[in-house]
mmCIF file of all heavy atoms in Angstrom:
data_model
loop_
_atom_site.group_PDB
_atom_site.id
_atom_site.type_symbol
_atom_site.label_atom_id
_atom_site.label_comp_id
_atom_site.label_asym_id
_atom_site.label_seq_id
_atom_site.Cartn_x
_atom_site.Cartn_y
_atom_site.Cartn_z
ATOM 1 N N VAL A 36 6.103 195.295 35.172
ATOM 2 C CA VAL A 36 5.944 195.695 36.529
ATOM 3 C C VAL A 36 5.096 197.016 36.413
ATOM 4 O O VAL A 36 5.537 198.019 35.868
ATOM 5 C CB VAL A 36 7.196 195.930 37.349
ATOM 6 C CG1 VAL A 36 6.870 196.447 38.704
ATOM 7 C CG2 VAL A 36 8.020 194.681 37.379
ATOM 8 N N LYS A 38 3.352 198.346 39.222
ATOM 9 C CA LYS A 38 3.131 198.926 40.598
ATOM 10 C C LYS A 38 3.172 200.404 40.638
ATOM 11 O O LYS A 38 3.617 201.001 39.561
ATOM 12 C CB LYS A 38 4.231 198.241 41.604
ATOM 13 C CG LYS A 38 5.659 198.770 41.205
ATOM 14 C CD LYS A 38 6.534 197.872 42.108
ATOM 15 C CE LYS A 38 7.964 198.377 41.762
ATOM 16 N NZ LYS A 38 9.108 197.462 42.353
ATOM 17 N N TYR A 42 4.261 203.228 37.737
ATOM 18 C CA TYR A 42 5.414 204.332 37.850
ATOM 19 C C TYR A 42 4.866 205.695 37.556
ATOM 20 O O TYR A 42 5.654 206.518 36.817
ATOM 21 C CB TYR A 42 6.500 203.852 37.003
ATOM 22 C CG TYR A 42 7.404 202.654 37.474
ATOM 23 C CD1 TYR A 42 6.722 201.550 37.899
ATOM 24 C CD2 TYR A 42 8.843 202.677 37.433
ATOM 25 C CE1 TYR A 42 7.485 200.427 38.251
ATOM 26 C CE2 TYR A 42 9.507 201.571 37.671
ATOM 27 C CZ TYR A 42 8.913 200.455 38.137
ATOM 28 O OH TYR A 42 9.569 199.318 38.483
ATOM 29 N N LEU A 84 3.731 191.508 44.746
ATOM 30 C CA LEU A 84 5.116 191.315 45.229
ATOM 31 C C LEU A 84 5.120 191.347 46.818
ATOM 32 O O LEU A 84 5.920 190.763 47.398
ATOM 33 C CB LEU A 84 5.927 192.412 44.707
ATOM 34 C CG LEU A 84 6.183 192.319 43.115
ATOM 35 C CD1 LEU A 84 6.807 193.525 42.555
ATOM 36 C CD2 LEU A 84 7.157 191.214 42.841
ATOM 37 N N LYS A 129 9.719 183.786 46.908
ATOM 38 C CA LYS A 129 10.850 184.922 46.754
ATOM 39 C C LYS A 129 11.916 184.424 47.811
ATOM 40 O O LYS A 129 11.689 184.297 48.931
ATOM 41 C CB LYS A 129 10.065 186.209 47.253
ATOM 42 C CG LYS A 129 11.137 187.326 47.379
ATOM 43 C CD LYS A 129 11.281 187.982 46.065
ATOM 44 C CE LYS A 129 12.323 189.136 46.065
ATOM 45 N NZ LYS A 129 11.657 190.423 46.629
ATOM 46 N N ARG A 136 15.850 192.382 51.773
ATOM 47 C CA ARG A 136 14.757 193.221 51.924
ATOM 48 C C ARG A 136 13.516 192.308 52.170
ATOM 49 O O ARG A 136 12.986 192.204 53.281
ATOM 50 C CB ARG A 136 14.544 193.941 50.616
ATOM 51 C CG ARG A 136 13.419 195.023 50.733
ATOM 52 C CD ARG A 136 13.423 195.806 49.454
ATOM 53 N NE ARG A 136 12.843 195.141 48.245
ATOM 54 C CZ ARG A 136 12.630 195.774 47.087
ATOM 55 N NH1 ARG A 136 12.808 197.000 46.893
ATOM 56 N NH2 ARG A 136 12.173 194.991 46.154
ATOM 57 N N HIS A 165 15.766 189.127 43.600
ATOM 58 C CA HIS A 165 15.834 190.480 43.121
ATOM 59 C C HIS A 165 17.204 190.905 43.399
ATOM 60 O O HIS A 165 17.821 190.691 44.284
ATOM 61 C CB HIS A 165 14.810 191.371 43.928
ATOM 62 C CG HIS A 165 14.464 192.743 43.246
ATOM 63 N ND1 HIS A 165 14.462 192.906 41.905
ATOM 64 C CD2 HIS A 165 14.248 193.865 43.868
ATOM 65 C CE1 HIS A 165 14.195 194.232 41.603
ATOM 66 N NE2 HIS A 165 14.049 194.847 42.880
ATOM 67 N N ASN A 206 15.537 192.548 36.937
ATOM 68 C CA ASN A 206 14.752 193.770 36.580
ATOM 69 C C ASN A 206 15.334 194.318 35.269
ATOM 70 O O ASN A 206 16.178 193.697 34.581
ATOM 71 C CB ASN A 206 14.870 194.738 37.755
ATOM 72 C CG ASN A 206 16.275 195.097 38.043
ATOM 73 O OD1 ASN A 206 17.299 194.579 37.504
ATOM 74 N ND2 ASN A 206 16.453 196.149 38.798
ATOM 75 N N THR A 207 14.939 195.474 35.067
ATOM 76 C CA THR A 207 15.302 196.159 33.701
ATOM 77 C C THR A 207 16.865 196.111 33.486
ATOM 78 O O THR A 207 17.327 195.666 32.447
ATOM 79 C CB THR A 207 14.796 197.605 33.606
ATOM 80 O OG1 THR A 207 13.408 197.549 33.694
ATOM 81 C CG2 THR A 207 15.268 198.229 32.292
ATOM 82 N N ARG A 222 11.503 190.627 34.755
ATOM 83 C CA ARG A 222 10.533 191.677 35.308
ATOM 84 C C ARG A 222 11.093 193.010 34.828
ATOM 85 O O ARG A 222 12.079 193.408 35.410
ATOM 86 C CB ARG A 222 10.371 191.390 36.792
ATOM 87 C CG ARG A 222 10.209 190.047 37.247
ATOM 88 C CD ARG A 222 9.997 190.062 38.839
ATOM 89 N NE ARG A 222 11.188 190.588 39.624
ATOM 90 C CZ ARG A 222 12.110 189.820 39.863
ATOM 91 N NH1 ARG A 222 12.118 188.569 39.741
ATOM 92 N NH2 ARG A 222 13.184 190.360 40.668
ATOM 93 N N SER A 223 10.289 193.731 34.044
ATOM 94 C CA SER A 223 10.745 195.070 33.752
ATOM 95 C C SER A 223 9.705 196.036 34.257
ATOM 96 O O SER A 223 8.487 195.973 33.885
ATOM 97 C CB SER A 223 10.998 195.121 32.177
ATOM 98 O OG SER A 223 11.369 196.599 31.956
ATOM 99 N N GLY A 224 10.241 197.108 34.849
ATOM 100 C CA GLY A 224 9.418 198.330 35.132
ATOM 101 C C GLY A 224 9.921 199.497 34.480
ATOM 102 O O GLY A 224 9.459 199.837 33.361
ATOM 103 N N ILE A 225 11.037 200.108 34.841
ATOM 104 C CA ILE A 225 11.491 201.343 34.455
ATOM 105 C C ILE A 225 11.806 201.254 33.045
ATOM 106 O O ILE A 225 11.570 202.243 32.196
ATOM 107 C CB ILE A 225 12.778 201.777 35.326
ATOM 108 C CG1 ILE A 225 13.020 203.357 35.172
ATOM 109 C CG2 ILE A 225 14.114 201.020 34.950
ATOM 110 C CD1 ILE A 225 12.188 204.107 36.056
ATOM 111 N N TYR A 352 13.059 207.014 38.992
ATOM 112 C CA TYR A 352 11.990 206.237 39.597
ATOM 113 C C TYR A 352 11.232 207.110 40.638
ATOM 114 O O TYR A 352 10.003 207.086 40.649
ATOM 115 C CB TYR A 352 12.560 205.086 40.484
ATOM 116 C CG TYR A 352 13.292 204.067 39.689
ATOM 117 C CD1 TYR A 352 14.592 204.213 39.298
ATOM 118 C CD2 TYR A 352 12.737 202.766 39.656
ATOM 119 C CE1 TYR A 352 15.216 203.118 38.622
ATOM 120 C CE2 TYR A 352 13.434 201.658 39.082
ATOM 121 C CZ TYR A 352 14.633 201.897 38.471
ATOM 122 O OH TYR A 352 15.289 200.824 37.882
HETATM 123 C C1 LIG B 1 10.007 197.180 41.179
HETATM 124 C C2 LIG B 1 10.585 195.762 40.911
HETATM 125 C C3 LIG B 1 10.986 195.393 39.714
HETATM 126 C C4 LIG B 1 11.112 196.440 38.499
HETATM 127 O O1 LIG B 1 12.349 196.940 38.529
HETATM 128 P P1 LIG B 1 12.846 197.965 37.441
HETATM 129 O O2 LIG B 1 14.242 198.361 37.699
HETATM 130 O O3 LIG B 1 11.878 199.142 37.439
HETATM 131 O O4 LIG B 1 12.835 197.194 36.147
HETATM 132 C C5 LIG B 1 11.367 194.113 39.558
HETATM 133 N N1 LIG B 1 11.334 193.227 40.544
HETATM 134 C C6 LIG B 1 10.862 193.470 41.804
HETATM 135 C C7 LIG B 1 10.954 192.496 42.900
HETATM 136 C C8 LIG B 1 10.525 194.763 42.090
HETATM 137 O O5 LIG B 1 10.161 195.219 43.302
#
Side-chain angles (χ1 to χ4, degrees):
V36 181
K38 63 191 179 190
Y42 290 41
L84 293 165
K129 172 83 183 281
R136 191 172 71 174
H165 196 35
N206 60 348
T207 300
R222 306 184 302 270
S223 178
I225 201 80
Y352 295 75

